[in-house]
Amino acid sequence: KQEVTQIPAALSVPEGENLVLNCSFTDSAIYNLQWFRQDPGKGLTSLLLIQSSQREQTSGRLNASLDKSSGRSTLYIAASQPGDSATYLCAVEGAGANNLFFGTGTRLTVIP
Amino acid sequence: DAGITQSPRHKVTETGTPVTLRCHQTENHRYMYWYRQDPGHGLRLIHYSYGVKDTDKGEVSDGYSVSRSKTEDFLLTLESATSSQTSVYFCAISDIVTENYGYTFGSGTRLTVV
């Protein structure tokens, strides 16, 4: 069974810092990897999706990379803002599987 | 999220009563999913559907059933609710994955079983 781990579980940074969130997965046979954002009491908002044939995706201040062979992905947030405070979830879809396997998330706090 | 609606948003029910949660989509996507989110466990798949009347179990399906009689609606039923089913339930949809589109999630239903 695919296991997804996110480190750190919580992170607090001052506004303006660049930061990296980490995600690792145990089975490298994945179809794609998706990063989500979840605000307290809310649903999941998709941030970036990386298909298995891709190495990275960018959207604005966000950049996600994927290294399938090592089972790792990183989400880079540039010039962090208080509005970036949320929980960030990493999820992988296994090849041939109709399911997303989720990590337990990194709770990010950006201090003004 | 636009295109996917869950109802109700909140529900409190008593142990032993049946409960049905509804997911409605306007995207005409083939796949629909029910997940539950619990502290320390992340989101886990309960059941999913790959077409009308076509469903399959996920990793935490015990105590739950689903039905999909129309492309747009996917129902999750707790036949006899237990306190362990207190959770936040999310519906998701997906179709052909492209670099700009993966899974889309609804806003969730917070269910409390007392």
Side-chain angles (χ1 to χ4, degrees):
Chain A
K1 180 195 164 195
Q2 179 76 266
E3 300 285 344
V4 180
T5 303
Q6 292 186 245
I7 295 173
L11 180 64
S12 186
V13 300
E15 181 177 2
E17 273 204 5
N18 303 324
L19 58 101
V20 174
L21 306 181
N22 296 294
C23 172
S24 62
F25 46 95
T26 54
D27 187 347
S28 62
I30 67 170
Y31 187 48
N32 59 65
L33 183 145
Q34 199 165 354
W35 282 93
F36 295 89
R37 168 187 173 134
Q38 185 175 30
D39 293 288
K42 304 294 185 182
L44 281 68
T45 300
S46 181
L47 297 174
L48 290 165
L49 179 145
I50 310 176
Q51 293 183 284
S52 60
S53 58
Q54 300 171 323
R55 295 297 299 265
E56 66 176 342
Q57 283 287 339
T58 298
S59 176
R61 294 183 293 109
L62 305 180
N63 175 274
S65 67
L66 173 63
D67 184 342
K68 267 191 9 174
S69 61
S70 66
R72 295 180 186 276
S73 175
T74 61
L75 178 66
Y76 175 82
I77 302 177
S80 58
Q81 302 171 356
D84 294 331
S85 298
T87 296
Y88 291 80
L89 298 168
C90 168
V92 298
E93 183 172 27
N98 293 302
N99 185 19
L100 280 181
F101 291 93
F102 281 85
T104 52
T106 294
R107 189 174 68 254
L108 173 66
T109 302
V110 180
I111 304 166
Chain B
D1 248 23
I4 179 169
T5 305
Q6 291 185 232
S7 59
R9 292 297 312 276
H10 303 272
K11 185 170 183 65
V12 179
T13 192
E14 293 186 350
T15 299
T17 60
V19 177
T20 296
L21 309 183
R22 180 178 184 245
C23 179
H24 178 78
Q25 61 145 331
T26 57
E27 305 294 324
N28 200 36
H29 285 324
R30 178 182 177 190
Y31 296 94
M32 299 185 75
Y33 311 81
W34 278 106
Y35 286 84
R36 60 179 288 174
Q37 184 176 34
D38 304 289
H41 289 279
L43 280 88
R44 293 176 292 173
L45 182 67
I46 305 171
H47 282 280
Y48 70 97
S49 169
Y50 47 96
V52 173
K53 297 186 180 178
D54 292 323
T55 64
D56 206 348
K57 297 179 179 180
E59 62 179 302
V60 291
S61 59
D62 287 348
Y64 301 94
S65 63
V66 290
S67 66
R68 192 170 179 198
S69 59
K70 298 185 290 185
T71 299
E72 57 266 35
D73 290 327
F74 192 33
L75 304 180
L76 176 71
T77 298
L78 290 65
E79 302 290 349
S80 178
T82 68
S83 59
S84 65
Q85 294 176 311
T86 292
S87 186
V88 181
Y89 291 86
F90 288 100
C91 176
I93 60 175
S94 74
D95 211 296
I96 298 171
V97 175
T98 69
E99 68 177 38
N100 295 318
Y101 193 84
Y103 285 57
T104 300
F105 281 77
S107 299
T109 294
R110 184 173 296 275
L111 177 68
T112 303
V113 183
V114 298

